[in-house]
Amino acid sequence: MSDFITVMRETCPTPVVDATKWTRIGGDPHTVNLNAYLSEDGSKIMGTWICTPGKFEVNYDKWEFCHFLEGYCIITPEGEEPVHLKGGDVFVIEPGMKGTWEVVETVRKYFVFA
């Protein structure tokens, strides 16, 4: 196997329940992380995130790539208009984004934090 390429074909991540660092501010959301990759230095992580309806206060200190597989949510950066996201959407969140993340319909997404 290459030192430069990690193939996820055989990955069997262990589910991590309710491990979010975000503060719950509405509803009773629950999360499941299926972390498939973590870099040796811990600075990069990728996997699948599942979340039931509810609302979080968020403060991003890392860059995140997301590909929504299903669900619907509303992300509202402080002082800006809400962004509505649904299954099929692909987007990036930049470090420094503060605001709220509201899951309206259970979300399943692929994510990469770097």
Side-chain angles (χ1 to χ4, degrees):
M1 189 56 70
S2 171
D3 289 336
F4 300 101
I5 300 171
T6 302
V7 178
M8 305 298 171
R9 194 175 299 126
E10 304 297 323
T11 302
C12 294
T14 301
V16 180
V17 178
D18 291 331
T20 183
K21 66 178 184 177
W22 297 344
T23 303
R24 290 171 177 85
I25 59 172
D28 188 26
H30 293 279
T31 63
V32 176
N33 280 39
L34 300 167
N35 298 332
Y37 173 81
L38 179 65
S39 64
E40 282 189 32
D41 67 0
S43 66
K44 297 171 191 72
I45 187 170
M46 66 83 57
T48 302
W49 184 73
I50 303 162
C51 184
T52 60
K55 192 172 188 178
F56 297 93
E57 180 178 83
V58 297
N59 183 356
Y60 275 75
D61 57 1
K62 289 188 170 196
W63 175 93
E64 182 183 17
F65 163 88
C66 300
H67 178 191
F68 268 29
L69 303 172
E70 60 188 44
Y72 169 58
C73 81
I74 303 165
I75 300 175
T76 307
E78 282 183 349
E80 296 184 24
E81 293 296 314
V83 178
H84 297 259
L85 299 157
K86 61 185 184 339
D89 287 343
V90 176
F91 58 98
V92 170
I93 299 175
E94 297 291 341
M97 196 287 284
K98 295 179 184 179
T100 61
W101 181 303
E102 180 178 5
V103 175
V104 179
E105 296 172 3
T106 297
V107 164
R108 178 185 298 262
K109 70 171 181 169
Y110 290 131
F111 69 89
V112 177
F113 277 103

